[in-house]
Amino acid sequence: MEKLTDKISALPPGAHYFSLEFFPPKTQIVGFAFPLKWSSVTNSIQKGFSNLQTRLERMSNALRPLFVTVTWGAGGCTSSRSLELAEICQRQLGLTTCLHLTCTNMKRRLIDQALDEAKVLGIRNILALRGDPPREEEYGLENGADEEEDSNEDFIWAIDLVRYIRRVHGDYFCIGVAAYPEGHSDLSHPLDQDPIRDLPYLIDKTKAGADFIMTQLFYDVTAYMRFEQTLREHESGVFQTIPIIPGLMPIQSYEIVKRTTKLSHAKLPPELSQKLEAVKANDEAVKGVGVDAISEIVETIQSVQWPGPKGFHFFTLNLEKAVTEILERCHLISPDAPDDSAISDFGPALHELNGVVSHNRTFSSSSASAAAQLTTNSHRSSSPARLAVASIPGASNPLSREATWDDYPNGRFGDARSPAFNPPLTYSPTSLTVPPAQALSLWGTPTMLAEVTELFTSHLLSHQPPQLPWSESATLSPETALIKDQLAALIEKKGYWTIASQPAVDGLPSTHPIHGWGPPGGFVFQKAFVEFFVPSRTFHNSLNPHLQSLHAQGEISYYAITASSSFESSEPSSAVHAVTWGSFKGKEISTATMVDEVSFRAWGEEAFGIWSEWSRCVGEMARQLRPGDERREKMRMCREFLAAVRRDMVLVNVVGHGYRDAGRLWEVLME
């Protein structure tokens, strides 16, 4: 039950320490009741959480962080999962734990419940964050679920939460607040960022009761050094001795670092960007470049004399290999840390699943190159994860198979049993990558199905808007152009709103400019697949019977789910479909992208939640208009329409098994 500041103060002057951040696996579906025939699905879902616990035990024993943090409701995860993970860290593993708490538009009752539960668990450290408004359906806020006097307007900014905790709980909690070395931006243009402009707000948060400061991730060490010096020398004097802990995210893949820096508005220095660009098709090489870059940042900061001990906070994304390499290289691991069995001299290793060698599963693609590879209509990237090798070249102490079997994360397309499945890349409990004002600018306020169909079609054919609510980036995959006409036909003629897709590939070189991934000299393969929303009436009356017929002929496999979690599939729950794989010299077959039920269910929850987030953006903008403005009525109608669409739609994923016939899937879907 220690406070972080007490532990830091107990360190000798000039000492260095580190902390690690973890998030609750999304496939741990708390309170979700499955029919008995889905027992294998339940087992897979529980493995995400149990595998994280195993990883935490291994990392805590081998690395001994000063403390750990647990994210709160990030990326659509509910509070109960955060508290469950915090309990494992604090009680079962004995780790000093800091619980993130986001507050924007949160009911006071929910804040009180979270703080009371933290007390029960023995947690005395809170990172007070603003965050984004929560999804109403996840916190029971819809339909006036709370008492009228329990306003959700008490907590607009992080300072409101800091003041509230201090007023209600006194000095019981050690409170941390966030800072932004390159400036904070609610907008999408980095020119709006200015750390000097943010200073008054950080001063107020600190004076309100903050005990330590933790920064947003950054890759520009010069910007960070300038930022901390500005704080330490500020005339207010409030930053002279307060712990300021830089936040660092090891680079796990090209695609993840590009998306993360976009969402956080962190700048990639040109030299680092060029190095990553040169190896973006090889995740192993990307991770190696990232280890070098973060290690250099740590060593640069270590070389400067700061007041008191200096710490480093690592956003792990629930992975251990890269962060362990950095900690070892920078001599941050305590000399008395035991030589844990997780650290061993182990060569390249792949993870075996159901007799198929793979390190990822379910649209299992993530990282760099494949995200460039999988055609996702610029939506959800499911890129190949290129050969999960167990060691970074040149590393003297590579990690074992247990530590690295899922080392290459794959976003929502990763192995559903992995603790790193679909990592949240911001502290926001939302999956949208744009703020409300930009959301309306991009997608408008539709009130008819035809308007949404036009939105999907225009995005695909003319790249306007440049992204949709389900997009991870504003860039269309190069593969999209290859099947653009087929996707457009599904949208315009069938009314299928496509959000992810991939063309078939039969043995192209691994160096192919569009489809290639992995080391040179290999060959890559892909089955075509497509994922789309379709009205429930269309699904039940025509599409589903057609899919069943195609499945009986061995043409396809499919999965379908609704917002209410009504699920249907052509496959048994244990089925796993490899849709991207490769053959490389001296390696076993590498399965980079896979489709299965567990991850499809998890993604379905998020995909339907995005409809609600779009609606929330409309509502937020409506509240900024004056009463009587005719646009408010249009926005009200739009919110009702989006809610109705969410209730009615079915999310469908179809995998075509004839990968040697590039056009076959599109032909049978148009029949």
Side-chain angles (χ1 to χ4, degrees):
M1 297 178 63
E2 294 179 279
K3 290 185 176 182
L4 305 188
T5 46
D6 292 340
K7 298 192 72 172
I8 294 172
S9 298
L11 296 172
H16 297 136
Y17 63 91
F18 70 93
S19 54
L20 305 174
E21 176 183 291
F22 299 94
F23 70 90
K26 292 185 179 181
T27 46
Q28 169 70 5
I29 303 179
V30 178
F32 198 96
F34 289 95
L36 291 177
K37 67 178 181 178
W38 291 342
S39 59
S40 63
V41 176
T42 306
N43 292 336
S44 295
I45 286 175
Q46 301 302 323
K47 285 179 181 177
F49 220 86
S50 63
N51 284 341
L52 177 58
Q53 183 171 352
T54 300
R55 176 161 290 170
L56 281 167
E57 292 173 354
R58 186 168 54 244
M59 294 180 75
S60 63
N61 290 331
L63 306 180
R64 292 192 175 181
L66 189 71
F67 64 92
V68 298
T69 68
V70 174
T71 63
W72 178 267
C77 172
T78 59
S79 59
S80 60
R81 303 183 205 176
S82 297
L83 290 168
E84 183 176 352
L85 179 56
E87 180 177 12
I88 290 174
C89 293
Q90 183 78 24
R91 285 185 165 181
Q92 297 185 29
L93 302 180
L95 295 167
T96 299
T97 302
C98 176
L99 181 66
H100 294 203
L101 189 57
T102 58
C103 67
T104 298
N105 290 350
M106 287 280 281
K107 297 286 188 179
R108 187 171 59 250
R109 173 179 60 82
L110 296 174
I111 297 293
D112 288 337
Q113 287 178 353
L115 294 172
D116 290 343
E117 184 67 21
K119 276 190 171 182
V120 170
L121 297 178
I123 294 172
R124 302 196 63 183
N125 306 286
I126 299 293
L127 183 60
L129 302 167
R130 178 190 176 195
D132 285 341
R135 295 176 182 170
E136 295 177 345
E137 66 271 14
E138 289 181 350
Y139 290 89
L141 302 180
E142 70 273 37
N143 301 324
D146 294 284
E147 299 85 352
E148 291 184 4
E149 63 271 17
D150 187 5
S151 171
N152 68 347
E153 297 180 357
D154 292 345
F155 305 102
I156 305 298
W157 309 99
I159 191 173
D160 300 324
L161 180 57
V162 175
R163 288 170 175 162
Y164 183 77
I165 295 174
R166 283 285 176 251
R167 177 168 59 84
V168 176
H169 297 278
D171 291 330
Y172 180 85
F173 289 107
C174 173
I175 303 174
V177 295
Y180 303 85
E182 298 171 281
H184 183 273
S185 177
D186 280 329
L187 304 175
S188 294
H189 203 290
L191 294 179
D192 294 305
Q193 297 175 246
D194 184 355
I196 301 302
R197 187 187 65 182
D198 299 340
L199 265 181
Y201 306 106
L202 186 57
I203 292 171
D204 289 345
K205 287 193 293 185
T206 304
K207 289 181 176 180
D211 297 300
F212 68 95
I213 294 171
M214 188 171 287
T215 79
Q216 169 70 283
L217 66 92
F218 62 90
Y219 295 99
D220 185 345
V221 68
T222 302
Y224 173 81
M225 302 282 278
R226 183 168 54 245
F227 176 70
E228 179 157 354
Q229 183 178 4
T230 298
L231 296 187
R232 296 299 186 192
E233 298 176 354
H234 194 268
E235 59 185 9
S236 68
V238 298
F239 305 118
Q240 285 184 358
T241 59
I242 189 172
I244 300 174
I245 308 173
L248 302 169
M249 180 177 285
I251 297 175
Q252 306 293 354
S253 76
Y254 178 82
E255 194 65 21
I256 283 183
V257 73
K258 297 297 286 188
R259 185 184 180 211
T260 303
T261 50
K262 176 193 174 186
L263 293 175
S264 63
H265 304 280
K267 299 178 181 66
L268 276 177
E271 182 179 358
L272 176 57
S273 183
Q274 291 170 8
K275 289 180 179 179
L276 292 170
E277 191 71 25
V279 296
K280 66 180 181 181
N282 187 331
D283 277 351
E284 180 185 353
V286 168
K287 194 179 290 284
V289 170
V291 168
D292 290 343
I294 299 299
S295 298
E296 184 177 336
I297 290 173
V298 171
E299 291 166 351
T300 300
I301 296 175
Q302 286 176 325
S303 67
V304 177
Q305 291 295 322
W306 306 101
K310 189 61 186 177
F312 301 89
H313 185 64
F314 292 92
F315 308 109
T316 69
L317 299 185
N318 289 1
L319 293 165
E320 56 191 300
K321 173 180 168 183
V323 71
T324 300
E325 295 287 347
I326 295 166
L327 294 174
E328 287 183 330
R329 185 178 298 187
C330 299
H331 307 290
L332 286 171
I333 301 175
S334 173
D336 61 348
D339 185 14
D340 189 78
S341 60
I343 310 294
S344 65
D345 188 10
F346 195 87
L350 295 175
H351 184 64
E352 186 169 347
L353 277 179
N354 297 329
V356 179
V357 176
S358 82
H359 72 279
N360 287 312
R361 215 168 113 177
T362 356
F363 288 12
S364 108
S365 324
S366 95
S367 0
S369 92
Q373 293 7 342
L374 253 234
T375 298
T376 58
N377 302 357
S378 95
H379 309 2
R380 295 286 150 188
S381 66
S382 51
S383 42
R386 272 124 0 242
L387 295 183
V389 294
S391 63
I392 295 177
S396 61
N397 204 9
L399 299 179
S400 68
R401 177 188 295 264
E402 289 77 14
T404 61
W405 67 270
D406 61 342
D407 195 56
Y408 292 91
N410 290 305
R412 74 151 269 222
F413 301 108
D415 189 331
R417 304 169 311 164
S418 167
F421 174 76
N422 202 4
L425 302 183
T426 70
Y427 291 147
S428 166
T430 175
S431 297
L432 290 182
T433 60
V434 298
Q438 188 180 2
L440 259 67
S441 174
L442 288 170
W443 312 315
T445 53
T447 57
M448 297 184 296
L449 294 176
E451 292 178 273
V452 180
T453 298
E454 173 59 27
L455 198 66
F456 276 84
T457 304
S458 179
H459 164 69
L460 181 65
L461 297 180
S462 64
H463 201 42
Q464 292 296 328
Q467 65 186 99
L468 294 174
W470 297 269
S471 302
E472 287 186 336
S473 71
T475 303
L476 286 170
S477 161
E479 287 192 330
T480 303
L482 303 178
I483 53 174
K484 184 166 60 174
D485 293 341
Q486 292 90 330
L487 296 174
L490 291 176
I491 297 171
E492 296 175 322
K493 298 180 180 180
K494 293 291 187 178
Y496 303 165
W497 297 339
T498 63
I499 61 173
S501 55
Q502 170 178 288
V505 170
D506 183 17
L508 289 178
S510 60
T511 53
H512 190 278
I514 295 179
H515 303 293
W517 56 275
F523 295 90
V524 296
F525 304 80
Q526 293 180 179
K527 288 183 179 180
F529 79 81
V530 64
E531 189 171 87
F532 52 86
F533 288 107
V534 61
S536 59
R537 183 173 181 178
T538 301
F539 176 77
H540 293 296
N541 291 349
S542 59
L543 177 59
N544 197 24
H546 183 49
L547 294 178
Q548 291 176 355
S549 174
L550 292 173
H551 176 260
Q553 300 168 38
E555 292 274 7
I556 60 99
S557 294
Y558 72 93
Y559 296 90
I561 196 168
T562 67
S564 61
S565 298
S566 176
F567 178 82
E568 185 167 341
S569 174
S570 61
E571 307 302 304
S573 58
S574 59
V576 179
H577 303 281
V579 295
T580 302
W581 65 98
S583 175
F584 304 92
K585 183 179 179 180
K587 307 287 185 182
E588 300 176 73
I589 295 297
S590 174
T591 307
T593 308
M594 304 182 77
V595 178
D596 72 1
E597 179 175 334
V598 175
S599 61
F600 179 74
R601 283 179 174 273
W603 162 240
E605 179 183 358
E606 183 176 351
F608 281 106
I610 290 175
W611 286 104
S612 298
E613 292 166 15
W614 184 359
S615 175
R616 174 182 60 80
C617 288
V618 175
E620 286 191 20
M621 297 308 298
R623 284 191 290 272
Q624 298 179 21
L625 299 176
R626 294 181 178 180
D629 191 315
E630 61 182 15
R631 290 175 294 176
R632 289 175 65 100
E633 176 61 17
K634 168 71 171 176
M635 291 180 178
R636 182 193 65 79
M637 294 172 61
C638 175
R639 294 199 69 188
E640 292 181 353
F641 169 74
L642 293 175
V645 167
R646 177 182 179 274
R647 290 191 300 268
D648 180 63
M649 286 290 159
V650 180
L651 180 65
V652 181
N653 179 283
V654 184
V655 176
H657 296 306
Y659 68 91
R660 306 201 71 176
D661 184 348
R664 185 58 180 167
L665 176 62
W666 320 112
E667 293 172 6
V668 298
L669 286 178
M670 290 301 296
E671 289 176 354

